[in-house]
Amino acid sequence: MGTAIRFRNVHTFIDVTIDEDNPTVRSLIDQLPLTNLNFADNAGLEKLVRLPHKLTIAGSPASGIHPGDLICFTPWNSIAFWYDPAGYKPNKKLVHLGRYRATMTQLEQITAAPVTAEVLTA
């Protein structure tokens, strides 16, 4: 799709390039902007936040995940910055949304204060 989403707080920002077109991606974009998102570390694998509104899952393909992926974990209605070096094979509980580049410092800072997510305009 080429759409970019910026996740930002007072400490840092992380831009995600949306590289999928599926119902879950469209559902996320339709909810933006979102404010007061509180990301947390999940088991040293990802920085995760549960979304306030349900994402559409039906019709989205199962996905594997790799470091640098923004993913949706469907049972929790959450999105996450995956950074663990081990990937996961395709799983019907995971939907790939896009790709990001961030340092571990940025990933730590994204959990330090509430986050706003918004579509970047060209």
PDB file of all heavy atoms in Angstrom, residues 5-30:
ATOM      1  N   ILE A   5       2.504   5.080   8.832  1.00  0.00           N
ATOM      2  CA  ILE A   5       1.899   5.437  10.107  1.00  0.00           C
ATOM      3  C   ILE A   5       3.022   5.817  11.059  1.00  0.00           C
ATOM      4  O   ILE A   5       4.031   5.108  11.156  1.00  0.00           O
ATOM      5  CB  ILE A   5       1.096   4.265  10.702  1.00  0.00           C
ATOM      6  CG1 ILE A   5      -0.061   3.872   9.783  1.00  0.00           C
ATOM      7  CG2 ILE A   5       0.577   4.612  12.098  1.00  0.00           C
ATOM      8  CD1 ILE A   5      -0.801   2.631  10.238  1.00  0.00           C
ATOM      9  N   ARG A   6       2.851   6.937  11.755  1.00  0.00           N
ATOM     10  CA  ARG A   6       3.825   7.358  12.761  1.00  0.00           C
ATOM     11  C   ARG A   6       3.240   7.090  14.145  1.00  0.00           C
ATOM     12  O   ARG A   6       2.134   7.514  14.462  1.00  0.00           O
ATOM     13  CB  ARG A   6       4.164   8.831  12.622  1.00  0.00           C
ATOM     14  CG  ARG A   6       5.114   9.309  13.737  1.00  0.00           C
ATOM     15  CD  ARG A   6       5.757  10.612  13.413  1.00  0.00           C
ATOM     16  NE  ARG A   6       6.798  10.345  12.410  1.00  0.00           N
ATOM     17  CZ  ARG A   6       7.454  11.313  11.779  1.00  0.00           C
ATOM     18  NH1 ARG A   6       7.173  12.584  12.009  1.00  0.00           N
ATOM     19  NH2 ARG A   6       8.387  11.001  10.893  1.00  0.00           N
ATOM     20  N   PHE A   7       4.025   6.396  14.950  1.00  0.00           N
ATOM     21  CA  PHE A   7       3.738   6.191  16.362  1.00  0.00           C
ATOM     22  C   PHE A   7       4.695   7.103  17.109  1.00  0.00           C
ATOM     23  O   PHE A   7       5.914   6.985  16.945  1.00  0.00           O
ATOM     24  CB  PHE A   7       3.980   4.724  16.752  1.00  0.00           C
ATOM     25  CG  PHE A   7       3.024   3.765  16.103  1.00  0.00           C
ATOM     26  CD1 PHE A   7       3.251   3.296  14.821  1.00  0.00           C
ATOM     27  CD2 PHE A   7       1.892   3.333  16.774  1.00  0.00           C
ATOM     28  CE1 PHE A   7       2.367   2.413  14.213  1.00  0.00           C
ATOM     29  CE2 PHE A   7       0.999   2.449  16.175  1.00  0.00           C
ATOM     30  CZ  PHE A   7       1.232   1.992  14.901  1.00  0.00           C
ATOM     31  N   ARG A   8       4.165   8.037  17.917  1.00  0.00           N
ATOM     32  CA  ARG A   8       5.045   9.013  18.561  1.00  0.00           C
ATOM     33  C   ARG A   8       4.593   9.299  19.990  1.00  0.00           C
ATOM     34  O   ARG A   8       3.422   9.179  20.329  1.00  0.00           O
ATOM     35  CB  ARG A   8       5.081  10.310  17.777  1.00  0.00           C
ATOM     36  CG  ARG A   8       3.761  11.023  17.708  1.00  0.00           C
ATOM     37  CD  ARG A   8       3.847  12.382  16.983  1.00  0.00           C
ATOM     38  NE  ARG A   8       2.519  12.905  16.752  1.00  0.00           N
ATOM     39  CZ  ARG A   8       1.790  13.555  17.650  1.00  0.00           C
ATOM     40  NH1 ARG A   8       2.266  13.766  18.855  1.00  0.00           N
ATOM     41  NH2 ARG A   8       0.581  14.002  17.348  1.00  0.00           N
ATOM     42  N   ASN A   9       5.576   9.638  20.790  1.00  0.00           N
ATOM     43  CA  ASN A   9       5.316  10.179  22.115  1.00  0.00           C
ATOM     44  C   ASN A   9       6.346  11.279  22.376  1.00  0.00           C
ATOM     45  O   ASN A   9       7.044  11.685  21.435  1.00  0.00           O
ATOM     46  CB  ASN A   9       5.311   9.083  23.197  1.00  0.00           C
ATOM     47  CG  ASN A   9       6.637   8.373  23.366  1.00  0.00           C
ATOM     48  OD1 ASN A   9       7.690   8.863  22.963  1.00  0.00           O
ATOM     49  ND2 ASN A   9       6.593   7.194  23.975  1.00  0.00           N
ATOM     50  N   VAL A  10       6.428  11.759  23.595  1.00  0.00           N
ATOM     51  CA  VAL A  10       7.335  12.879  23.878  1.00  0.00           C
ATOM     52  C   VAL A  10       8.804  12.484  23.787  1.00  0.00           C
ATOM     53  O   VAL A  10       9.670  13.355  23.741  1.00  0.00           O
ATOM     54  CB  VAL A  10       7.042  13.512  25.261  1.00  0.00           C
ATOM     55  CG1 VAL A  10       5.653  14.110  25.286  1.00  0.00           C
ATOM     56  CG2 VAL A  10       7.220  12.488  26.379  1.00  0.00           C
ATOM     57  N   HIS A  11       9.097  11.197  23.741  1.00  0.00           N
ATOM     58  CA  HIS A  11      10.479  10.726  23.732  1.00  0.00           C
ATOM     59  C   HIS A  11      11.007  10.338  22.352  1.00  0.00           C
ATOM     60  O   HIS A  11      12.196  10.453  22.087  1.00  0.00           O
ATOM     61  CB  HIS A  11      10.633   9.521  24.662  1.00  0.00           C
ATOM     62  CG  HIS A  11      10.216   9.794  26.061  1.00  0.00           C
ATOM     63  ND1 HIS A  11      10.928  10.606  26.906  1.00  0.00           N
ATOM     64  CD2 HIS A  11       9.128   9.383  26.765  1.00  0.00           C
ATOM     65  CE1 HIS A  11      10.311  10.688  28.076  1.00  0.00           C
ATOM     66  NE2 HIS A  11       9.217   9.945  28.006  1.00  0.00           N
ATOM     67  N   THR A  12      10.134   9.832  21.491  1.00  0.00           N
ATOM     68  CA  THR A  12      10.598   9.274  20.221  1.00  0.00           C
ATOM     69  C   THR A  12       9.437   9.123  19.253  1.00  0.00           C
ATOM     70  O   THR A  12       8.295   9.429  19.570  1.00  0.00           O
ATOM     71  CB  THR A  12      11.277   7.902  20.450  1.00  0.00           C
ATOM     72  OG1 THR A  12      12.018   7.535  19.293  1.00  0.00           O
ATOM     73  CG2 THR A  12      10.277   6.814  20.800  1.00  0.00           C
ATOM     74  N   PHE A  13       9.776   8.628  18.064  1.00  0.00           N
ATOM     75  CA  PHE A  13       8.748   8.210  17.118  1.00  0.00           C
ATOM     76  C   PHE A  13       9.264   7.012  16.335  1.00  0.00           C
ATOM     77  O   PHE A  13      10.471   6.816  16.199  1.00  0.00           O
ATOM     78  CB  PHE A  13       8.331   9.344  16.158  1.00  0.00           C
ATOM     79  CG  PHE A  13       9.391   9.757  15.180  1.00  0.00           C
ATOM     80  CD1 PHE A  13       9.502   9.139  13.946  1.00  0.00           C
ATOM     81  CD2 PHE A  13      10.282  10.773  15.498  1.00  0.00           C
ATOM     82  CE1 PHE A  13      10.483   9.515  13.038  1.00  0.00           C
ATOM     83  CE2 PHE A  13      11.263  11.161  14.599  1.00  0.00           C
ATOM     84  CZ  PHE A  13      11.359  10.534  13.372  1.00  0.00           C
ATOM     85  N   ILE A  14       8.314   6.209  15.851  1.00  0.00           N
ATOM     86  CA  ILE A  14       8.629   5.074  14.987  1.00  0.00           C
ATOM     87  C   ILE A  14       7.664   5.122  13.822  1.00  0.00           C
ATOM     88  O   ILE A  14       6.449   5.169  14.019  1.00  0.00           O
ATOM     89  CB  ILE A  14       8.507   3.725  15.735  1.00  0.00           C
ATOM     90  CG1 ILE A  14       9.478   3.673  16.921  1.00  0.00           C
ATOM     91  CG2 ILE A  14       8.749   2.559  14.773  1.00  0.00           C
ATOM     92  CD1 ILE A  14       9.305   2.451  17.810  1.00  0.00           C
ATOM     93  N   ASP A  15       8.219   5.132  12.610  1.00  0.00           N
ATOM     94  CA  ASP A  15       7.396   5.123  11.405  1.00  0.00           C
ATOM     95  C   ASP A  15       7.278   3.698  10.879  1.00  0.00           C
ATOM     96  O   ASP A  15       8.263   2.955  10.855  1.00  0.00           O
ATOM     97  CB  ASP A  15       8.003   6.009  10.318  1.00  0.00           C
ATOM     98  CG  ASP A  15       7.931   7.486  10.670  1.00  0.00           C
ATOM     99  OD1 ASP A  15       7.132   7.857  11.546  1.00  0.00           O
ATOM    100  OD2 ASP A  15       8.687   8.270  10.070  1.00  0.00           O
ATOM    101  N   VAL A  16       6.074   3.362  10.458  1.00  0.00           N
ATOM    102  CA  VAL A  16       5.793   2.040   9.903  1.00  0.00           C
ATOM    103  C   VAL A  16       5.306   2.212   8.478  1.00  0.00           C
ATOM    104  O   VAL A  16       4.411   3.016   8.219  1.00  0.00           O
ATOM    105  CB  VAL A  16       4.701   1.313  10.726  1.00  0.00           C
ATOM    106  CG1 VAL A  16       4.327  -0.006  10.077  1.00  0.00           C
ATOM    107  CG2 VAL A  16       5.153   1.110  12.162  1.00  0.00           C
ATOM    108  N   THR A  17       5.907   1.483   7.565  1.00  0.00           N
ATOM    109  CA  THR A  17       5.422   1.443   6.188  1.00  0.00           C
ATOM    110  C   THR A  17       4.461   0.275   6.073  1.00  0.00           C
ATOM    111  O   THR A  17       4.833  -0.879   6.301  1.00  0.00           O
ATOM    112  CB  THR A  17       6.583   1.275   5.187  1.00  0.00           C
ATOM    113  OG1 THR A  17       7.476   2.378   5.346  1.00  0.00           O
ATOM    114  CG2 THR A  17       6.070   1.221   3.758  1.00  0.00           C
ATOM    115  N   ILE A  18       3.226   0.590   5.753  1.00  0.00           N
ATOM    116  CA  ILE A  18       2.209  -0.442   5.583  1.00  0.00           C
ATOM    117  C   ILE A  18       2.439  -1.079   4.220  1.00  0.00           C
ATOM    118  O   ILE A  18       2.401  -0.406   3.198  1.00  0.00           O
ATOM    119  CB  ILE A  18       0.791   0.151   5.688  1.00  0.00           C
ATOM    120  CG1 ILE A  18       0.592   0.812   7.050  1.00  0.00           C
ATOM    121  CG2 ILE A  18      -0.255  -0.910   5.407  1.00  0.00           C
ATOM    122  CD1 ILE A  18       0.774  -0.110   8.240  1.00  0.00           C
ATOM    123  N   ASP A  19       2.715  -2.377   4.231  1.00  0.00           N
ATOM    124  CA  ASP A  19       3.051  -3.059   2.979  1.00  0.00           C
ATOM    125  C   ASP A  19       2.089  -4.191   2.664  1.00  0.00           C
ATOM    126  O   ASP A  19       2.363  -5.052   1.841  1.00  0.00           O
ATOM    127  CB  ASP A  19       4.496  -3.561   2.998  1.00  0.00           C
ATOM    128  CG  ASP A  19       4.801  -4.497   4.147  1.00  0.00           C
ATOM    129  OD1 ASP A  19       3.875  -4.823   4.925  1.00  0.00           O
ATOM    130  OD2 ASP A  19       5.960  -4.914   4.274  1.00  0.00           O
ATOM    131  N   GLU A  20       0.956  -4.203   3.335  1.00  0.00           N
ATOM    132  CA  GLU A  20      -0.090  -5.198   3.093  1.00  0.00           C
ATOM    133  C   GLU A  20      -1.387  -4.460   2.817  1.00  0.00           C
ATOM    134  O   GLU A  20      -1.594  -3.353   3.303  1.00  0.00           O
ATOM    135  CB  GLU A  20      -0.293  -6.090   4.316  1.00  0.00           C
ATOM    136  CG  GLU A  20       0.878  -6.987   4.637  1.00  0.00           C
ATOM    137  CD  GLU A  20       1.021  -8.142   3.669  1.00  0.00           C
ATOM    138  OE1 GLU A  20      -0.006  -8.629   3.158  1.00  0.00           O
ATOM    139  OE2 GLU A  20       2.159  -8.556   3.440  1.00  0.00           O
ATOM    140  N   ASP A  21      -2.249  -5.075   2.068  1.00  0.00           N
ATOM    141  CA  ASP A  21      -3.602  -4.568   1.902  1.00  0.00           C
ATOM    142  C   ASP A  21      -4.529  -5.709   2.263  1.00  0.00           C
ATOM    143  O   ASP A  21      -4.700  -6.653   1.496  1.00  0.00           O
ATOM    144  CB  ASP A  21      -3.853  -4.075   0.471  1.00  0.00           C
ATOM    145  CG  ASP A  21      -5.243  -3.483   0.303  1.00  0.00           C
ATOM    146  OD1 ASP A  21      -5.917  -3.225   1.328  1.00  0.00           O
ATOM    147  OD2 ASP A  21      -5.674  -3.291  -0.840  1.00  0.00           O
ATOM    148  N   ASN A  22      -5.058  -5.645   3.460  1.00  0.00           N
ATOM    149  CA  ASN A  22      -5.988  -6.659   3.918  1.00  0.00           C
ATOM    150  C   ASN A  22      -6.995  -5.992   4.848  1.00  0.00           C
ATOM    151  O   ASN A  22      -6.821  -4.828   5.230  1.00  0.00           O
ATOM    152  CB  ASN A  22      -5.237  -7.833   4.576  1.00  0.00           C
ATOM    153  CG  ASN A  22      -4.447  -7.417   5.797  1.00  0.00           C
ATOM    154  OD1 ASN A  22      -4.969  -6.819   6.731  1.00  0.00           O
ATOM    155  ND2 ASN A  22      -3.151  -7.751   5.799  1.00  0.00           N
ATOM    156  N   PRO A  23      -8.063  -6.679   5.220  1.00  0.00           N
ATOM    157  CA  PRO A  23      -9.089  -6.057   6.064  1.00  0.00           C
ATOM    158  C   PRO A  23      -8.559  -5.537   7.404  1.00  0.00           C
ATOM    159  O   PRO A  23      -9.045  -4.528   7.912  1.00  0.00           O
ATOM    160  CB  PRO A  23     -10.109  -7.175   6.259  1.00  0.00           C
ATOM    161  CG  PRO A  23      -9.979  -8.009   5.019  1.00  0.00           C
ATOM    162  CD  PRO A  23      -8.491  -7.997   4.721  1.00  0.00           C
ATOM    163  N   THR A  24      -7.577  -6.215   7.978  1.00  0.00           N
ATOM    164  CA  THR A  24      -7.045  -5.769   9.266  1.00  0.00           C
ATOM    165  C   THR A  24      -6.295  -4.451   9.109  1.00  0.00           C
ATOM    166  O   THR A  24      -6.460  -3.538   9.919  1.00  0.00           O
ATOM    167  CB  THR A  24      -6.134  -6.854   9.873  1.00  0.00           C
ATOM    168  OG1 THR A  24      -6.859  -8.091   9.914  1.00  0.00           O
ATOM    169  CG2 THR A  24      -5.705  -6.485  11.277  1.00  0.00           C
ATOM    170  N   VAL A  25      -5.484  -4.340   8.077  1.00  0.00           N
ATOM    171  CA  VAL A  25      -4.766  -3.080   7.805  1.00  0.00           C
ATOM    172  C   VAL A  25      -5.757  -1.947   7.587  1.00  0.00           C
ATOM    173  O   VAL A  25      -5.627  -0.867   8.177  1.00  0.00           O
ATOM    174  CB  VAL A  25      -3.833  -3.236   6.583  1.00  0.00           C
ATOM    175  CG1 VAL A  25      -3.348  -1.884   6.085  1.00  0.00           C
ATOM    176  CG2 VAL A  25      -2.657  -4.133   6.921  1.00  0.00           C
ATOM    177  N   ARG A  26      -6.743  -2.169   6.741  1.00  0.00           N
ATOM    178  CA  ARG A  26      -7.724  -1.115   6.462  1.00  0.00           C
ATOM    179  C   ARG A  26      -8.477  -0.721   7.727  1.00  0.00           C
ATOM    180  O   ARG A  26      -8.752   0.459   7.965  1.00  0.00           O
ATOM    181  CB  ARG A  26      -8.668  -1.567   5.351  1.00  0.00           C
ATOM    182  CG  ARG A  26      -7.965  -1.633   3.989  1.00  0.00           C
ATOM    183  CD  ARG A  26      -8.921  -1.846   2.831  1.00  0.00           C
ATOM    184  NE  ARG A  26      -9.652  -3.111   2.886  1.00  0.00           N
ATOM    185  CZ  ARG A  26      -9.217  -4.259   2.392  1.00  0.00           C
ATOM    186  NH1 ARG A  26      -8.046  -4.325   1.777  1.00  0.00           N
ATOM    187  NH2 ARG A  26      -9.957  -5.346   2.475  1.00  0.00           N
ATOM    188  N   SER A  27      -8.789  -1.696   8.576  1.00  0.00           N
ATOM    189  CA  SER A  27      -9.482  -1.430   9.828  1.00  0.00           C
ATOM    190  C   SER A  27      -8.623  -0.568  10.760  1.00  0.00           C
ATOM    191  O   SER A  27      -9.127   0.355  11.407  1.00  0.00           O
ATOM    192  CB  SER A  27      -9.834  -2.760  10.491  1.00  0.00           C
ATOM    193  OG  SER A  27     -10.466  -2.589  11.717  1.00  0.00           O
ATOM    194  N   LEU A  28      -7.332  -0.865  10.830  1.00  0.00           N
ATOM    195  CA  LEU A  28      -6.426  -0.059  11.650  1.00  0.00           C
ATOM    196  C   LEU A  28      -6.360   1.371  11.126  1.00  0.00           C
ATOM    197  O   LEU A  28      -6.516   2.327  11.888  1.00  0.00           O
ATOM    198  CB  LEU A  28      -5.028  -0.682  11.679  1.00  0.00           C
ATOM    199  CG  LEU A  28      -3.948   0.154  12.397  1.00  0.00           C
ATOM    200  CD1 LEU A  28      -4.308   0.355  13.871  1.00  0.00           C
ATOM    201  CD2 LEU A  28      -2.589  -0.502  12.242  1.00  0.00           C
ATOM    202  N   ILE A  29      -6.144   1.535   9.838  1.00  0.00           N
ATOM    203  CA  ILE A  29      -6.033   2.876   9.250  1.00  0.00           C
ATOM    204  C   ILE A  29      -7.318   3.670   9.467  1.00  0.00           C
ATOM    205  O   ILE A  29      -7.269   4.866   9.761  1.00  0.00           O
ATOM    206  CB  ILE A  29      -5.644   2.785   7.765  1.00  0.00           C
ATOM    207  CG1 ILE A  29      -4.196   2.299   7.669  1.00  0.00           C
ATOM    208  CG2 ILE A  29      -5.808   4.132   7.062  1.00  0.00           C
ATOM    209  CD1 ILE A  29      -3.741   1.948   6.263  1.00  0.00           C
ATOM    210  N   ASP A  30      -8.465   3.008   9.368  1.00  0.00           N
ATOM    211  CA  ASP A  30      -9.744   3.693   9.583  1.00  0.00           C
ATOM    212  C   ASP A  30      -9.896   4.213  11.014  1.00  0.00           C
ATOM    213  O   ASP A  30     -10.651   5.157  11.244  1.00  0.00           O
ATOM    214  CB  ASP A  30     -10.920   2.764   9.263  1.00  0.00           C
ATOM    215  CG  ASP A  30     -11.103   2.540   7.772  1.00  0.00           C
ATOM    216  OD1 ASP A  30     -10.502   3.284   6.961  1.00  0.00           O
ATOM    217  OD2 ASP A  30     -11.850   1.606   7.413  1.00  0.00           O
TER     218      ASP A  30
END
